Amino acid sequence: MLEYGIEIQQRLANGILGGPFQCDFSITLNSVLYEISIEQMGIRKTSISTNESVELDDLIVVFNKLDMLIMLGERQFIPIEKAWIIKNGKSVESKELDSKITMRLNLFNSCDFTIGNHSKFLSFDQYIDDNVFLKWIKMLEELDIVHPMVLYSMADTGMPIDCKTAFIIESFESLAELIEKYNKSFTKPSYKRGESLLQKCLCAIIKLYGEDIFQKETNTNIEKFTHILKDSRNRISHIKTKQGRYYLNGSESILYAVKLSFLYRHILLTLLEVDYNFYKSQITKLVNDWENWNGILEKFLKKF
């Protein structure tokens, strides 16, 4: 019998989760076998058990990485309602575990524009297994600070939306390096003096992975579009007199925080070898819904 672990219960603040969904697998990390089970029907219960005594922090780290992987498909973090330690096959309350859960980083608090089915690609049971999870753990190490930066940009942190969008845009220069490592047909763009590496990366990545997300922008003028994105990021890199002539306004920043985060999640799922056919129709529907939001996209494209 597996003797030690944690059990986490998550519930939406308003509404219920779908289901029934279930996912069971095991992985070995640092010579320790972890048995993982995720069950969802209205609420979600995740148990992570080991065949030996390990540090509580190690179990929480595994759960947090799993939660981040689920978020790629669902685009929001589900609040933790209760947590227990598993000892000798029994779940018991633990003040130490409760304290550590309370201290989770703010990036796990999803902001308004990420919440709900208007951003969900697919359910965890459609793509998560031992192979994908192990790849994800390695990818998180490679992404380093980039992924937390993107998650903070989608979190309820009080940061203004234009700042959040600027940080998401910034991530694509680093993301190009990850794509180059996993996709041998992609080469990170080179650039000459006076050119923007970020804009070139955005252009190349959108052409390769963003056809279903940025079709209207690319059909209008992809160079102008990526130039605007680059200038929007430059607001956190230069004083005002050094900025370009146009950048995203408030409502446009919301729209492109959403669409760029769609692209970011889609790329990571693709690099994890999750079949795009699982969620292609869903992503097309979501993009269409957002593009019809308050006429923002139509007005924006007229500025090209």
Side-chain angles (χ1 to χ4, degrees):
M1 177 183 292
L2 297 174
E3 297 182 346
Y4 187 70
I6 56 175
E7 184 175 352
I8 307 291
Q9 180 171 300
Q10 295 165 280
R11 183 191 298 267
L12 289 173
N14 296 296
I16 59 174
L17 295 169
F21 304 135
Q22 183 160 350
C23 185
D24 301 289
F25 60 93
S26 61
I27 60 170
T28 300
L29 294 174
N30 301 319
S31 301
V32 176
L33 174 68
Y34 292 87
E35 293 281 359
I36 298 171
S37 177
I38 316 168
E39 298 179 359
Q40 178 175 302
M41 188 169 67
I43 61 175
R44 179 182 301 156
K45 288 186 177 181
T46 302
S47 65
I48 302 173
S49 303
T50 71
N51 57 356
E52 58 188 274
S53 180
V54 297
E55 295 292 330
L56 181 57
D57 285 341
D58 292 336
L59 290 162
I60 293 173
V61 166
V62 173
F63 172 77
N64 286 341
K65 290 179 179 179
L66 179 61
D67 211 20
M68 289 181 183
L69 178 57
I70 293 174
M71 184 267 188
L72 289 185
E74 297 190 348
R75 198 170 181 266
Q76 66 172 309
F77 290 107
I78 308 302
I80 295 176
E81 182 182 46
K82 297 178 182 179
W84 301 267
I85 286 179
I86 301 171
K87 286 187 177 181
N88 298 320
K90 296 182 179 180
S91 299
V92 297
E93 294 183 353
S94 166
K95 290 183 179 180
E96 181 184 7
L97 176 57
D98 290 342
S99 176
K100 290 181 181 296
I101 294 296
T102 301
M103 293 172 62
R104 284 223 302 176
L105 297 173
N106 284 344
L107 61 83
F108 291 102
N109 299 323
S110 297
C111 66
D112 289 346
F113 67 78
T114 71
I115 295 174
N117 289 329
H118 56 271
S119 297
K120 181 178 179 179
F121 290 173
L122 69 174
S123 300
F124 63 83
D125 63 313
Q126 295 178 275
Y127 67 100
I128 294 181
D129 57 23
D130 56 338
N131 183 51
V132 170
F133 191 30
L134 287 172
K135 286 181 181 178
W136 173 240
I137 290 172
K138 179 182 178 182
M139 189 177 292
L140 280 176
E141 294 176 357
E142 294 167 330
L143 284 166
D144 193 27
I145 198 173
V146 175
H147 194 61
M149 179 182 74
V150 174
L151 292 182
Y152 272 115
S153 299
M154 293 188 283
D156 185 12
T157 59
M159 184 190 300
I161 186 60
D162 49 356
C163 295
K164 290 184 176 185
T165 308
F167 281 118
I168 296 175
I169 294 168
E170 175 75 21
S171 71
F172 283 87
E173 190 170 316
S174 299
L175 195 58
E177 297 178 7
L178 186 74
I179 296 170
E180 185 175 43
K181 181 173 182 177
Y182 281 75
N183 184 345
K184 301 306 180 183
S185 66
F186 178 86
T187 301
K188 184 175 180 178
S190 58
Y191 67 106
K192 301 175 182 177
R193 183 180 177 87
E195 295 180 329
S196 166
L197 175 59
L198 174 61
Q199 183 178 355
K200 283 182 168 289
C201 288
L202 285 165
C203 232
I205 291 172
I206 288 172
K207 287 178 180 178
L208 182 60
Y209 293 103
E211 179 180 353
D212 292 328
I213 302 173
F214 295 100
Q215 184 178 43
K216 292 183 179 179
E217 292 87 347
T218 55
N219 287 345
T220 302
N221 189 330
I222 190 171
E223 293 293 334
K224 178 63 175 177
F225 172 58
T226 54
H227 184 83
I228 292 172
L229 293 181
K230 180 261 298 181
D231 280 353
S232 297
R233 188 272 291 187
N234 282 352
R235 296 182 71 194
I236 62 172
S237 303
H238 304 290
I239 63 173
K240 192 167 186 178
T241 56
K242 296 291 184 180
Q243 293 172 3
R245 294 181 179 180
Y246 185 76
Y247 48 80
L248 300 172
N249 63 28
S251 56
E252 292 164 356
S253 292
I254 296 173
L255 175 63
Y256 284 103
V258 171
K259 295 187 75 173
L260 287 165
S261 64
F262 280 4
L263 178 61
Y264 178 86
R265 292 164 55 212
H266 169 51
I267 291 169
L268 295 189
L269 288 169
T270 300
L271 298 184
L272 289 169
E273 300 184 66
V274 176
D275 190 346
Y276 184 36
N277 289 322
F278 287 166
Y279 62 96
K280 179 180 172 66
S281 61
Q282 176 68 359
I283 205 172
T284 302
K285 176 184 179 301
L286 294 173
V287 168
N288 182 69
D289 290 344
W290 277 101
E291 287 181 342
N292 289 317
W293 174 57
N294 291 338
I296 303 302
L297 179 66
E298 183 180 358
K299 295 176 184 177
F300 174 65
L301 294 179
K302 290 179 180 178
K303 298 176 180 179
F304 282 26

